[in-house]
Amino acid sequence: MASHIVGYPRMGPKRELKFALESFWDKKSSAEDLQKVAADLRSSIWQQMAAAGIKYIPSNTFSYYDQVLDATSMLGAVPPRYGWNGGEIGFDTYFSMARGNASVPAMEMTKWFDTNYHFIVPELGPDVNFSYASHKAVDEYKEAKALGVDTIPVLIGPVSYLLLSKPAKGVEKTFSLLSLLPKILPIYKEVIAELKAAGALWIQFDEPTLVLDLDSHQLQAFTAAYAELETTLSGLNVLIEAYFADLTAEAYKTLTELKGVTAYGLDLVRGTQTIELIKSNFPKGKYLFAGVVDGRNIWANDLASSLSTLQALEAVVGKDKLVVSTSCSLLHTAVDLVNETKLDDEIKSWLAFAAQKVVEVNALAKALAGQKDEAFFTANASAQASRKSSPRVTNEAVQKAAAALKGSDHRRATNVTARLDAQQKKLNLPVLPTTTIGSFPQTLELRRVRREYKANKISEDDYVKAIKEEIKKVVDLQEELDIDVLVHGEPELKLCREMIWLSTLVSNYLVLLSLLTGGCNLMGLAASSHQSSTVMLAAPNQ
């Protein structure tokens, strides 16, 4: 039985990429230094997965910033303001798009679906001249192959790329981004042809927008795109990954009827209803990459439950066509539990970070193949039972308080009209009040103050004074501009975000707080903070 990982964190177990990026951005190290750190991380990730027994190992899931920006670079879709004149896109252009520079702002950053991760939104229009401008996907496949690791190159699928884009400035908001499909597919064909020539046997297209509520026109775009790519994809095994939610019946039908596709990777953690679609109608002879190990939290997998799910799917799909996988990229988890040295053994037994989830995936694949590691499964069952019964989780006071809640406790004592009247009396806002979304740009002076405070070159009093002065500046500016609802600019939160990267203790605190209150929701924050803060820190307006 085979195993697969959708994607893996790229920051490094000790945030090596973060520190290398900041050093490069501060001009303290060279591009070659940054590339060396990145290559070492990629090598260790590939070899780690190979050593764990993973058969289908992804490449091109590493990124210096985010995977959508990498796709923008591959397609040469650089907005004119960055002055790119063609050729292979280098760090200057790439990071200018991501972070802006002294003369032009960055591209928009937004949430990657409902995760705490962010991506740089492509700016497209009818006049964009697409060209094959970044060979990263092919280069990283060759890099892994030279290390003796045959990988599955991963690309953001062409339809999801367009659906995640926005019309560029000056382009009508009604412009159909999907109308650009015929312009970008030739680039995808070039990439595919190069990967085939390099020896790739599989290719993975991430099409997560398939889980959205799409209309028939949008679903038809998937059909048209892969029909157009079918000839170029001939000779390759093609995996389409859709994650983060259930597929609708229409989307599932569209996916399973795509031309030239060999396998479907589905999120069976959040997509519980998708399992019923698989059971009722799965295409004969196709592979199912079953995402049963959660890529979005840091809890250890319930191996017995996942194995039961896999066995049920095996009866539908067939033993040789079922591949055990993660629900989505492990990008959204912390990297390695081995680095959490301040957690006690009981809590650690309940947790699994990216490195541990890789082991879980392969353990499930071996168990499905009749090579079950009884000791590993027994330890996992004990940990699951411990987590359910431990007084650190089972808080009697919380349970009693929750049981005593009435329906009325979930509603406010006053209705909306009364609250609006009270608000208006207090604030006296106009019909259309104006405000901003909180955070103001970092200034060079503010960055200097933060650096000096972190280096203990200035006192806390001096730091607080500087923060207060910055707050006064942004409040004065808003009053000058006649903004109705003022914000303080969040200058102190920028330090907090950086401190997240020093936050093994903070992460542990969130774990313990969640356990003591009997809840699980905070765990997602604890897990995602390690990865998602990278983009938040790097973005020019954060």
Side-chain angles (χ1 to χ4, degrees):
M1 194 61 59
S3 53
H4 166 253
I5 304 297
V6 177
Y8 199 83
R10 50 267 202 144
M11 276 300 112
K14 297 184 178 179
R15 306 184 296 283
E16 292 89 342
L17 182 60
K18 171 195 183 294
F19 297 128
L21 282 168
E22 291 179 344
S23 177
F24 175 71
W25 292 334
D26 287 342
K27 302 187 185 307
K28 295 177 181 177
S29 60
S30 66
E32 291 74 19
D33 294 330
L34 176 57
Q35 290 166 338
K36 174 65 166 56
V37 171
D40 288 345
L41 284 173
R42 290 192 296 268
S43 173
S44 66
I45 290 167
W46 291 326
Q47 292 177 352
Q48 172 191 340
M49 284 192 265
I54 302 298
K55 180 176 181 179
Y56 299 110
I57 298 171
S59 60
N60 198 42
T61 60
F62 172 86
S63 179
Y64 288 102
Y65 211 87
D66 83 76
Q67 67 271 30
V68 179
L69 182 60
D70 290 350
T72 294
S73 297
M74 181 185 83
L75 296 168
V78 181
R81 65 180 178 274
Y82 298 108
W84 177 67
N85 295 314
E88 191 80 4
I89 289 177
F91 281 156
D92 285 349
T93 301
Y94 181 85
F95 287 126
S96 290
M97 288 192 288
R99 307 176 72 239
N101 57 44
S103 58
V104 292
M107 297 166 68
E108 178 186 337
M109 179 181 70
T110 196
K111 289 277 191 179
W112 178 244
F113 293 80
D114 61 346
T115 73
N116 279 343
Y117 188 75
H118 294 71
F119 73 96
I120 300 298
V121 182
E123 302 173 10
L124 306 178
D127 298 327
V128 175
N129 294 315
F130 296 99
S131 63
Y132 188 9
S134 171
H135 292 66
K136 177 179 176 293
V138 178
D139 291 343
E140 290 188 11
Y141 172 77
K142 291 179 177 178
E143 183 182 327
K145 194 171 184 180
L147 295 169
V149 182
D150 194 19
T151 60
I152 300 184
V154 180
L155 301 175
I156 294 292
V159 182
S160 287
Y161 177 78
L162 293 177
L163 290 177
L164 293 169
S165 302
K166 71 172 187 178
K169 186 177 181 181
V171 175
E172 291 291 334
K173 299 302 180 186
T174 57
F175 173 70
S176 172
L177 293 161
L178 289 176
S179 69
L180 298 173
L181 200 54
K183 292 188 175 183
I184 69 171
L185 289 180
I187 313 300
Y188 275 88
K189 289 180 180 180
E190 287 188 68
V191 179
I192 294 164
E194 284 196 5
L195 288 169
K196 287 170 67 174
L201 300 176
W202 282 80
I203 187 168
Q204 174 179 320
F205 292 100
D206 282 8
E207 294 279 14
T209 56
L210 275 166
V211 305
L212 301 178
D213 293 327
L214 303 178
D215 61 32
S216 57
H217 170 68
Q218 292 168 321
L219 289 173
Q220 177 58 32
F222 290 94
T223 302
Y226 287 93
E228 177 66 24
L229 293 174
E230 183 181 11
T231 301
T232 310
L233 290 169
S234 177
L236 281 172
N237 291 295
V238 180
L239 166 62
I240 307 292
E241 279 283 346
Y243 38 75
F244 294 150
D246 273 305
L247 291 173
T248 64
E250 294 78 11
Y252 179 79
K253 185 175 186 293
T254 298
L255 171 63
T256 54
E257 291 180 354
L258 292 179
K259 298 291 187 181
V261 175
T262 314
Y264 316 106
L266 300 174
D267 182 341
L268 304 184
V269 175
R270 293 197 166 207
T272 52
Q273 296 175 29
T274 301
I275 295 177
E276 298 308 312
L277 292 172
I278 295 168
K279 290 179 178 178
S280 64
N281 183 23
F282 190 79
K284 187 176 181 180
K286 301 292 186 179
Y287 288 83
L288 172 63
F289 281 59
V292 294
V293 173
D294 198 335
R296 290 186 57 170
N297 69 21
I298 57 172
W299 295 116
N301 181 269
D302 185 338
L303 296 179
S305 176
S306 291
L307 184 57
S308 177
T309 299
L310 290 166
Q311 288 168 337
L313 292 171
E314 182 182 50
V316 176
V317 177
K319 182 181 286 287
D320 62 330
K321 298 298 183 183
L322 184 61
V323 179
V324 183
S325 185
T326 53
S327 65
C328 62
S329 173
L330 297 177
L331 171 70
H332 309 287
T333 70
V335 179
D336 196 339
L337 188 57
V338 73
N339 294 318
E340 301 294 336
T341 59
K342 297 182 185 291
L343 289 176
D344 62 57
D345 290 341
E346 182 184 38
I347 291 178
K348 288 187 78 169
S349 75
W350 301 345
L351 305 176
F353 294 176
Q356 288 71 46
K357 289 177 186 290
V358 168
V359 176
E360 289 178 339
V361 167
N362 206 57
L364 286 166
K366 290 175 68 177
L368 205 56
Q371 303 170 20
K372 185 177 180 182
D373 185 336
E374 295 291 351
F376 189 69
F377 271 70
T378 298
N380 175 264
S382 296
Q384 296 293 321
S386 167
R387 181 182 157 202
K388 290 175 183 176
S389 62
S390 172
R392 303 166 89 166
V393 173
T394 308
N395 189 316
E396 187 175 346
V398 172
Q399 290 179 333
K400 286 182 177 179
L405 289 173
K406 303 182 295 291
S408 59
D409 291 328
H410 301 287
R411 295 189 295 271
R412 298 195 187 191
T414 55
N415 61 35
V416 174
T417 302
R419 296 199 304 274
L420 286 174
D421 288 344
Q423 181 188 70
Q424 186 60 16
K425 288 177 182 178
K426 177 74 173 178
L427 301 178
N428 192 31
L429 296 173
V431 176
L432 292 175
T434 56
T435 189
T436 66
I437 308 178
S439 182
F440 269 56
Q442 299 179 47
T443 64
L444 293 176
E445 176 64 16
L446 189 57
R447 289 179 175 178
R448 180 192 65 78
V449 168
R450 289 207 326 272
R451 284 197 304 269
E452 291 184 354
Y453 177 59
K454 288 168 63 179
N456 294 320
K457 292 182 179 179
I458 62 173
S459 68
E460 183 174 353
D461 287 343
D462 289 336
Y463 170 73
V464 170
K465 180 181 178 183
I467 291 296
K468 288 182 176 180
E469 289 175 354
E470 181 67 18
I471 291 171
K472 185 177 186 304
K473 287 180 184 177
V474 300
V475 170
D476 288 346
L477 174 62
Q478 292 168 85
E479 289 182 330
E480 180 184 336
L481 296 173
D482 201 24
I483 300 295
D484 298 304
V485 180
L486 308 184
V487 300
H488 79 303
E490 301 179 1
E492 79 288 355
L493 293 183
K494 299 178 181 72
L495 180 66
C496 294
R497 286 176 183 140
E498 290 194 352
M499 294 301 288
I500 287 174
W501 285 103
L502 306 176
S503 68
T504 298
L505 289 177
V506 173
S507 175
N508 295 347
Y509 168 77
L510 287 170
V511 173
L512 292 172
L513 180 60
S514 176
L515 298 173
L516 290 171
T517 57
C520 298
N521 291 339
L522 286 173
M523 296 306 300
L525 175 59
S528 62
S529 66
H530 290 274
Q531 299 303 320
S532 63
S533 301
T534 313
V535 179
M536 296 294 289
L537 283 170
N541 291 333
Q542 295 297 325

